[in-house]
Short mmCIF file of all heavy atoms in Angstrom, two decimals:
data_model
loop_
_atom_site.label_atom_id
_atom_site.label_comp_id
_atom_site.label_asym_id
_atom_site.label_seq_id
_atom_site.Cartn_x
_atom_site.Cartn_y
_atom_site.Cartn_z
N SER A 547 67.52 38.68 43.19
CA SER A 547 67.86 37.21 43.17
C SER A 547 66.64 36.36 43.38
O SER A 547 66.48 35.36 42.74
CB SER A 547 68.97 36.84 44.14
OG SER A 547 70.17 37.57 43.84
N THR A 548 65.82 36.80 44.37
CA THR A 548 64.57 36.07 44.67
C THR A 548 63.61 36.07 43.48
O THR A 548 62.99 35.05 43.11
CB THR A 548 63.86 36.65 45.92
OG1 THR A 548 64.74 36.64 47.01
CG2 THR A 548 62.63 35.88 46.27
N LEU A 549 63.41 37.28 42.90
CA LEU A 549 62.56 37.37 41.72
C LEU A 549 63.09 36.54 40.57
O LEU A 549 62.35 35.87 39.83
CB LEU A 549 62.44 38.85 41.34
CG LEU A 549 61.52 39.68 42.17
CD1 LEU A 549 61.55 41.14 41.67
CD2 LEU A 549 60.10 39.21 42.12
N LEU A 550 64.44 36.58 40.35
CA LEU A 550 65.01 35.85 39.31
C LEU A 550 64.77 34.33 39.45
O LEU A 550 64.52 33.59 38.53
CB LEU A 550 66.46 36.19 39.16
CG LEU A 550 67.19 35.61 37.95
CD1 LEU A 550 66.60 36.13 36.66
CD2 LEU A 550 68.68 35.92 38.01
N THR A 551 64.89 33.83 40.73
CA THR A 551 64.64 32.46 41.03
C THR A 551 63.16 32.10 40.74
O THR A 551 62.89 31.04 40.16
CB THR A 551 64.98 32.15 42.49
OG1 THR A 551 66.33 32.43 42.77
CG2 THR A 551 64.68 30.70 42.84
N SER A 552 62.27 32.97 41.16
CA SER A 552 60.81 32.71 40.90
C SER A 552 60.55 32.67 39.39
O SER A 552 59.78 31.83 38.91
CB SER A 552 59.97 33.78 41.52
OG SER A 552 60.15 33.86 42.92
N TYR A 553 61.24 33.60 38.68
CA TYR A 553 61.05 33.66 37.22
C TYR A 553 61.52 32.32 36.56
O TYR A 553 60.87 31.76 35.70
CB TYR A 553 61.77 34.81 36.64
CG TYR A 553 61.65 34.95 35.19
CD1 TYR A 553 60.54 35.36 34.57
CD2 TYR A 553 62.80 34.69 34.36
CE1 TYR A 553 60.41 35.53 33.15
CE2 TYR A 553 62.70 34.85 32.95
CZ TYR A 553 61.56 35.23 32.38
OH TYR A 553 61.47 35.39 31.00
N GLU A 554 62.64 31.83 37.00
CA GLU A 554 63.21 30.58 36.39
C GLU A 554 62.30 29.42 36.82
O GLU A 554 62.15 28.51 36.05
CB GLU A 554 64.61 30.33 36.96
CG GLU A 554 65.62 31.41 36.46
CD GLU A 554 65.78 31.42 34.94
OE1 GLU A 554 65.51 30.36 34.27
OE2 GLU A 554 66.08 32.46 34.40
N GLU A 555 61.76 29.48 37.99
CA GLU A 555 60.84 28.39 38.41
C GLU A 555 59.58 28.32 37.50
O GLU A 555 59.07 27.27 37.09
CB GLU A 555 60.48 28.59 39.88
CG GLU A 555 61.59 28.23 40.84
CD GLU A 555 61.17 28.53 42.26
OE1 GLU A 555 60.05 29.08 42.50
OE2 GLU A 555 61.95 28.14 43.18
N VAL A 556 59.05 29.56 37.23
CA VAL A 556 57.86 29.60 36.38
C VAL A 556 58.21 29.09 34.97
O VAL A 556 57.46 28.32 34.34
CB VAL A 556 57.34 31.09 36.28
CG1 VAL A 556 56.31 31.22 35.12
CG2 VAL A 556 56.74 31.48 37.58
N ARG A 557 59.35 29.46 34.44
CA ARG A 557 59.74 28.94 33.14
C ARG A 557 59.96 27.46 33.13
O ARG A 557 59.65 26.80 32.18
CB ARG A 557 61.01 29.67 32.71
CG ARG A 557 60.81 31.16 32.47
CD ARG A 557 61.98 31.79 31.67
NE ARG A 557 62.06 31.16 30.31
CZ ARG A 557 62.98 31.54 29.43
NH1 ARG A 557 63.89 32.44 29.75
NH2 ARG A 557 63.02 30.94 28.28
N LEU A 558 60.50 26.95 34.28
CA LEU A 558 60.71 25.54 34.38
C LEU A 558 59.37 24.77 34.40
O LEU A 558 59.16 23.77 33.71
CB LEU A 558 61.51 25.23 35.62
CG LEU A 558 61.83 23.69 35.87
CD1 LEU A 558 62.62 23.13 34.69
CD2 LEU A 558 62.57 23.57 37.19
N LEU A 559 58.38 25.27 35.20
CA LEU A 559 57.11 24.68 35.24
C LEU A 559 56.40 24.75 33.91
O LEU A 559 55.75 23.79 33.47
CB LEU A 559 56.23 25.44 36.29
CG LEU A 559 56.54 25.16 37.76
CD1 LEU A 559 55.74 26.10 38.66
CD2 LEU A 559 56.29 23.72 38.14
N GLU A 560 56.57 25.88 33.21
CA GLU A 560 56.02 26.00 31.85
C GLU A 560 56.57 24.95 30.92
O GLU A 560 55.85 24.33 30.13
CB GLU A 560 56.27 27.42 31.35
CG GLU A 560 55.69 27.69 29.98
CD GLU A 560 55.98 29.12 29.57
OE1 GLU A 560 56.80 29.84 30.17
OE2 GLU A 560 55.37 29.55 28.54
N ALA A 561 57.88 24.76 30.96
CA ALA A 561 58.52 23.73 30.12
C ALA A 561 58.11 22.35 30.46
O ALA A 561 57.84 21.51 29.60
CB ALA A 561 60.03 23.85 30.18
N GLN A 562 57.92 22.04 31.75
CA GLN A 562 57.60 20.69 32.18
C GLN A 562 56.14 20.36 31.93
O GLN A 562 55.82 19.20 31.67
CB GLN A 562 57.87 20.54 33.69
CG GLN A 562 59.38 20.48 34.03
CD GLN A 562 59.60 20.35 35.51
OE1 GLN A 562 58.71 20.61 36.31
NE2 GLN A 562 60.83 19.99 35.90
N SER A 563 55.26 21.34 31.89
CA SER A 563 53.87 21.14 31.67
C SER A 563 53.50 21.22 30.20
O SER A 563 52.31 20.92 29.83
CB SER A 563 52.98 22.15 32.43
OG SER A 563 53.22 23.44 31.97
N PHE A 564 54.44 21.54 29.36
CA PHE A 564 54.15 21.77 27.96
C PHE A 564 54.10 20.37 27.28
O PHE A 564 55.03 19.59 27.32
CB PHE A 564 55.23 22.59 27.30
CG PHE A 564 54.91 23.19 26.00
CD1 PHE A 564 54.28 24.36 25.87
CD2 PHE A 564 55.23 22.40 24.80
CE1 PHE A 564 53.92 24.87 24.62
CE2 PHE A 564 54.85 22.94 23.58
CZ PHE A 564 54.17 24.18 23.47
N ASP A 565 52.92 20.13 26.62
CA ASP A 565 52.74 18.87 25.88
C ASP A 565 53.26 19.10 24.46
O ASP A 565 52.80 19.97 23.73
CB ASP A 565 51.28 18.49 25.83
CG ASP A 565 50.69 18.25 27.24
OD1 ASP A 565 51.43 17.62 28.00
OD2 ASP A 565 49.57 18.58 27.46
N ILE A 566 54.23 18.29 24.12
CA ILE A 566 54.93 18.49 22.84
C ILE A 566 54.33 17.52 21.78
O ILE A 566 54.25 16.35 22.01
CB ILE A 566 56.42 18.22 22.99
CG1 ILE A 566 57.05 19.18 24.02
CG2 ILE A 566 57.16 18.40 21.65
CD1 ILE A 566 58.46 18.85 24.38
N LEU A 567 53.90 18.11 20.68
CA LEU A 567 53.44 17.28 19.56
C LEU A 567 54.46 17.23 18.49
O LEU A 567 54.89 18.34 18.00
CB LEU A 567 52.06 17.90 19.03
CG LEU A 567 50.87 17.70 19.98
CD1 LEU A 567 49.77 18.61 19.55
CD2 LEU A 567 50.42 16.30 20.02
N THR A 568 54.91 16.08 18.11
CA THR A 568 55.99 15.90 17.17
C THR A 568 55.48 15.10 15.97
O THR A 568 54.90 14.03 16.17
CB THR A 568 57.21 15.21 17.76
OG1 THR A 568 57.65 15.91 18.96
CG2 THR A 568 58.38 15.20 16.74
N VAL A 569 55.68 15.62 14.78
CA VAL A 569 55.31 14.88 13.61
C VAL A 569 56.33 13.74 13.38
O VAL A 569 57.48 14.03 13.10
CB VAL A 569 55.22 15.78 12.37
CG1 VAL A 569 54.86 14.93 11.15
CG2 VAL A 569 54.15 16.87 12.62
N ILE A 570 55.88 12.52 13.48
CA ILE A 570 56.75 11.38 13.21
C ILE A 570 56.86 11.10 11.75
O ILE A 570 57.97 10.86 11.23
CB ILE A 570 56.24 10.09 14.00
CG1 ILE A 570 56.12 10.32 15.46
CG2 ILE A 570 57.14 8.93 13.72
CD1 ILE A 570 55.47 9.18 16.19
N GLU A 571 55.72 11.13 11.12
CA GLU A 571 55.72 10.83 9.67
C GLU A 571 54.64 11.69 8.91
O GLU A 571 53.49 11.51 9.14
CB GLU A 571 55.35 9.35 9.47
CG GLU A 571 55.37 8.90 8.04
CD GLU A 571 55.11 7.42 7.86
OE1 GLU A 571 55.06 6.68 8.92
OE2 GLU A 571 54.94 6.94 6.72
N PRO A 572 55.13 12.71 8.22
CA PRO A 572 54.18 13.55 7.51
C PRO A 572 53.46 12.81 6.41
O PRO A 572 53.92 11.78 5.88
CB PRO A 572 55.10 14.68 6.90
CG PRO A 572 56.41 14.03 6.80
CD PRO A 572 56.51 13.08 7.93
N ALA A 573 52.31 13.32 6.01
CA ALA A 573 51.50 12.70 5.03
C ALA A 573 52.13 12.89 3.63
O ALA A 573 52.67 13.94 3.30
CB ALA A 573 50.11 13.26 4.98
N LEU A 574 52.09 11.82 2.88
CA LEU A 574 52.50 11.82 1.46
C LEU A 574 51.25 11.71 0.57
O LEU A 574 50.21 11.38 1.07
CB LEU A 574 53.46 10.64 1.20
CG LEU A 574 54.80 10.60 2.02
CD1 LEU A 574 55.57 9.35 1.70
CD2 LEU A 574 55.55 11.86 1.73
N PRO A 575 51.40 11.95 -0.74
CA PRO A 575 50.21 11.86 -1.58
C PRO A 575 49.45 10.54 -1.29
O PRO A 575 50.12 9.42 -1.24
CB PRO A 575 50.78 11.85 -2.99
CG PRO A 575 51.95 12.78 -2.85
CD PRO A 575 52.53 12.44 -1.48
N GLY A 576 48.15 10.60 -1.19
CA GLY A 576 47.34 9.51 -0.65
C GLY A 576 47.34 8.32 -1.58
O GLY A 576 47.49 8.39 -2.78
N ASN A 577 47.00 7.16 -0.98
CA ASN A 577 46.77 5.91 -1.71
C ASN A 577 45.31 5.74 -1.93
O ASN A 577 44.47 6.19 -1.16
CB ASN A 577 47.32 4.74 -0.87
CG ASN A 577 48.81 4.79 -0.70
OD1 ASN A 577 49.57 5.14 -1.53
ND2 ASN A 577 49.23 4.50 0.56
N ARG A 578 44.96 5.10 -3.05
CA ARG A 578 43.56 4.88 -3.40
C ARG A 578 42.92 3.95 -2.42
O ARG A 578 43.53 2.87 -2.16
CB ARG A 578 43.42 4.35 -4.85
CG ARG A 578 41.97 4.27 -5.31
CD ARG A 578 41.86 4.05 -6.74
NE ARG A 578 40.51 3.90 -7.17
CZ ARG A 578 40.06 3.97 -8.46
NH1 ARG A 578 40.95 4.21 -9.42
NH2 ARG A 578 38.84 3.76 -8.72
N VAL A 579 41.80 4.27 -1.93
CA VAL A 579 41.14 3.40 -0.93
C VAL A 579 39.69 3.00 -1.40
O VAL A 579 39.11 2.12 -0.77
CB VAL A 579 41.00 4.15 0.43
CG1 VAL A 579 42.37 4.37 1.03
CG2 VAL A 579 40.30 5.49 0.30
N SER A 580 39.14 3.69 -2.39
CA SER A 580 37.77 3.32 -2.79
C SER A 580 37.78 2.20 -3.84
O SER A 580 38.62 2.20 -4.74
CB SER A 580 37.10 4.59 -3.37
OG SER A 580 37.73 4.99 -4.57
N ALA A 581 36.83 1.30 -3.74
CA ALA A 581 36.67 0.25 -4.70
C ALA A 581 35.75 0.71 -5.83
O ALA A 581 34.81 1.41 -5.60
CB ALA A 581 36.04 -1.01 -4.04
N ALA A 582 36.07 0.29 -7.02
CA ALA A 582 35.22 0.68 -8.17
C ALA A 582 33.84 0.04 -8.03
O ALA A 582 33.71 -1.12 -7.56
CB ALA A 582 35.87 0.24 -9.47
N PRO A 583 32.76 0.75 -8.43
CA PRO A 583 31.46 0.16 -8.39
C PRO A 583 31.37 -1.15 -9.19
O PRO A 583 31.98 -1.27 -10.21
CB PRO A 583 30.59 1.25 -9.02
CG PRO A 583 31.30 2.48 -8.82
CD PRO A 583 32.71 2.12 -8.86
N ARG A 584 30.64 -2.19 -8.73
CA ARG A 584 30.64 -3.44 -9.33
C ARG A 584 29.68 -3.48 -10.47
O ARG A 584 28.53 -3.92 -10.43
CB ARG A 584 30.28 -4.52 -8.29
CG ARG A 584 31.26 -4.50 -7.07
CD ARG A 584 30.72 -5.40 -5.97
NE ARG A 584 29.57 -4.83 -5.33
CZ ARG A 584 28.96 -5.38 -4.30
NH1 ARG A 584 29.36 -6.56 -3.82
NH2 ARG A 584 27.87 -4.81 -3.81
N LYS A 585 30.15 -3.01 -11.65
CA LYS A 585 29.29 -2.92 -12.84
C LYS A 585 28.86 -4.38 -13.28
O LYS A 585 27.63 -4.51 -13.62
CB LYS A 585 30.07 -2.25 -13.99
CG LYS A 585 30.38 -0.79 -13.66
CD LYS A 585 31.21 -0.16 -14.80
CE LYS A 585 30.38 0.08 -16.03
NZ LYS A 585 29.42 1.18 -15.84
N THR A 586 29.76 -5.31 -13.31
CA THR A 586 29.32 -6.66 -13.77
C THR A 586 28.29 -7.29 -12.83
O THR A 586 27.32 -7.82 -13.28
CB THR A 586 30.61 -7.56 -13.81
OG1 THR A 586 31.55 -6.98 -14.71
CG2 THR A 586 30.24 -8.93 -14.33
N LEU A 587 28.56 -7.16 -11.50
CA LEU A 587 27.58 -7.75 -10.56
C LEU A 587 26.26 -7.06 -10.67
O LEU A 587 25.22 -7.69 -10.63
CB LEU A 587 28.14 -7.63 -9.14
CG LEU A 587 27.25 -8.17 -8.06
CD1 LEU A 587 26.99 -9.64 -8.22
CD2 LEU A 587 27.87 -7.97 -6.66
N ASN A 588 26.28 -5.68 -10.82
CA ASN A 588 25.04 -5.00 -10.97
C ASN A 588 24.34 -5.33 -12.22
O ASN A 588 23.09 -5.44 -12.25
CB ASN A 588 25.28 -3.47 -10.94
CG ASN A 588 25.76 -2.93 -9.59
OD1 ASN A 588 25.63 -3.61 -8.61
ND2 ASN A 588 26.28 -1.71 -9.55
N GLY A 589 25.07 -5.65 -13.29
CA GLY A 589 24.44 -6.11 -14.56
C GLY A 589 23.78 -7.44 -14.40
O GLY A 589 22.63 -7.68 -14.91
N LEU A 590 24.41 -8.37 -13.71
CA LEU A 590 23.86 -9.71 -13.49
C LEU A 590 22.60 -9.60 -12.64
O LEU A 590 21.60 -10.26 -12.90
CB LEU A 590 24.85 -10.56 -12.77
CG LEU A 590 26.08 -11.01 -13.63
CD1 LEU A 590 27.06 -11.84 -12.81
CD2 LEU A 590 25.61 -11.87 -14.80
N GLN A 591 22.68 -8.75 -11.59
CA GLN A 591 21.45 -8.56 -10.72
C GLN A 591 20.34 -7.95 -11.55
O GLN A 591 19.14 -8.34 -11.40
CB GLN A 591 21.83 -7.70 -9.59
CG GLN A 591 22.72 -8.29 -8.55
CD GLN A 591 23.19 -7.34 -7.45
OE1 GLN A 591 23.05 -6.13 -7.63
NE2 GLN A 591 23.66 -7.95 -6.38
N GLY A 592 20.65 -7.01 -12.44
CA GLY A 592 19.61 -6.42 -13.32
C GLY A 592 19.01 -7.41 -14.26
O GLY A 592 17.80 -7.48 -14.49
N ALA A 593 19.86 -8.39 -14.75
CA ALA A 593 19.33 -9.42 -15.63
C ALA A 593 18.45 -10.39 -14.92
O ALA A 593 17.37 -10.76 -15.45
CB ALA A 593 20.55 -10.20 -16.23
N VAL A 594 18.77 -10.72 -13.71
CA VAL A 594 17.88 -11.60 -12.88
C VAL A 594 16.57 -10.91 -12.65
O VAL A 594 15.48 -11.50 -12.76
CB VAL A 594 18.61 -11.93 -11.58
CG1 VAL A 594 17.59 -12.62 -10.63
CG2 VAL A 594 19.78 -12.82 -11.82
N VAL A 595 16.58 -9.63 -12.27
CA VAL A 595 15.35 -8.91 -11.99
C VAL A 595 14.51 -8.85 -13.27
O VAL A 595 13.25 -9.01 -13.24
CB VAL A 595 15.66 -7.53 -11.45
CG1 VAL A 595 14.39 -6.68 -11.35
CG2 VAL A 595 16.36 -7.62 -10.05
#
Side-chain angles (χ1 to χ4, degrees):
S547 298
T548 302
L549 283 176
L550 188 60
T551 300
S552 299
Y553 179 73
E554 294 300 330
E555 288 176 351
V556 168
R557 295 196 61 180
L558 180 61
L559 286 173
E560 183 178 10
Q562 290 179 343
S563 64
F564 195 89
D565 297 322
I566 302 173
L567 290 166
T568 307
V569 177
I570 301 175
E571 185 176 352
L574 299 176
N577 298 317
R578 184 164 177 169
V579 293
S580 62
R584 299 172 294 180
K585 295 176 73 73
T586 302
L587 180 59
N588 291 347
L590 290 174
Q591 291 175 342
V594 171
V595 172

